[in-house]
Amino acid sequence: SYSTLAKQASPAKTINSNPTRTVLIGLTSTFTPNLIGDFRASYTRLQFNSYPVSEGFDMATLGFGTNVTSNVLYQQFPQITVQQYNSGSGLVVSTFNASEIDQLGGATKTLAPQDTWHAQYHFTWIKGRHKIKTGVDAQLLRMNAYNSQFSAGQYFFDRVYSQGPDPSVSASNSGHGFASLLLGVPASGTLTFTPRMFLYQHYRAAYIHDDWRLTNRLTLNLGVRYEYTSPYAEKWGNIGQ
């Protein structure tokens, strides 16, 4: 069980769920002794879902205000790093960027379900020395891509705000990153906003093929096929088409 705060926060864990579903129907029709039709339709759903055990975590329970929680698109435990000095703080010591405690949180969600709708119809017609095949093929591919990144934020705590006796004067031997964490004063923090992508793509094809038996020892295989695969587009116009 990951119901306790400690298990949701450390170590960062994810759960993977990858179900697959497939449905197929087919119909073969004999119109005449030398004319046959074949129809097939299928639906396939592939899904990759990796989500943190802290999914649904309410950051307000950690003391974050609505100015932060209202901007969290996907609820999870935030990534919290406690270091002696954070990158970019302008302070340089011999143990630069050394972590004082294990990182809390950090797992992210990746969701990429993909649907494929597929329909095709084929005719086979035998006439004299000709065996003619013709048909059409259509597919609709849809993929909903999402990665939460660090939607609940990344927060870095270092010694800057707990050093003393004067916190405005840097010193390599004063302050403690964990003390800054308990005070709730990070050296820096970021929120990541990643929109969901509803991608889709069309495929269409048509063909005609003739096996023409000129003699018992010579057969010509003639045919032409047209195929079109559209570029990926996005339902809400989030990418160029």
Side-chain angles (χ1 to χ4, degrees), residues 41-110:
S42 65
Y43 168 75
T44 301
R45 180 176 178 86
L46 307 176
Q47 177 172 296
F48 176 78
N49 184 15
S50 175
Y51 58 94
V53 298
S54 64
E55 184 175 67
F57 181 80
D58 184 4
M59 291 177 57
T61 60
L62 297 180
F64 286 89
T66 55
N67 60 326
V68 175
T69 58
S70 61
N71 290 297
V72 175
L73 301 181
Y74 172 75
Q75 291 188 327
Q76 63 185 82
F77 194 90
Q79 183 186 77
I80 297 176
T81 305
V82 179
Q83 298 175 333
Q84 292 192 1
Y85 287 109
N86 178 43
S87 301
S89 64
L91 303 174
V92 180
V93 293
S94 59
T95 53
F96 178 74
N97 262 13
S99 296
E100 295 187 345
I101 63 172
D102 289 341
Q103 176 180 287
L104 302 178
T108 60
K109 179 182 181 68
T110 300

Side-chain angles (χ1 to χ4, degrees), residues 133 207-211 220-226:
K133 295 181 179 180
Y207 74 94
I208 184 169
H209 177 87
D210 183 13
D211 291 329
L220 293 181
N221 303 117
L222 308 174
V224 61
R225 182 180 180 92
Y226 168 81

Side-chain angles (χ1 to χ4, degrees), residues 171-198:
S172 61
N173 58 352
S174 67
H176 200 289
F178 192 69
S180 298
L181 171 65
L182 295 178
L183 291 172
V185 283
S188 67
T190 60
L191 281 176
T192 305
F193 301 92
T194 53
R196 297 177 183 270
M197 303 288 286
F198 296 89

Side-chain angles (χ1 to χ4, degrees), residues 138-204:
Q139 297 183 41
L140 171 61
L141 292 83
R142 300 189 303 184
M143 181 174 67
N144 300 339
Y146 177 70
N147 190 311
S148 69
Q149 297 293 323
F150 299 100
S151 64
Q154 295 173 286
Y155 306 95
F156 298 89
F157 296 85
D158 61 14
R159 298 181 179 186
V160 172
Y161 293 110
S162 58
Q163 60 188 348
D166 185 353
S168 64
V169 179
S170 62
S172 61
N173 58 352
S174 67
H176 200 289
F178 192 69
S180 298
L181 171 65
L182 295 178
L183 291 172
V185 283
S188 67
T190 60
L191 281 176
T192 305
F193 301 92
T194 53
R196 297 177 183 270
M197 303 288 286
F198 296 89
L199 304 172
Y200 63 90
Q201 182 182 48
H202 292 280
Y203 170 82
R204 302 182 184 92

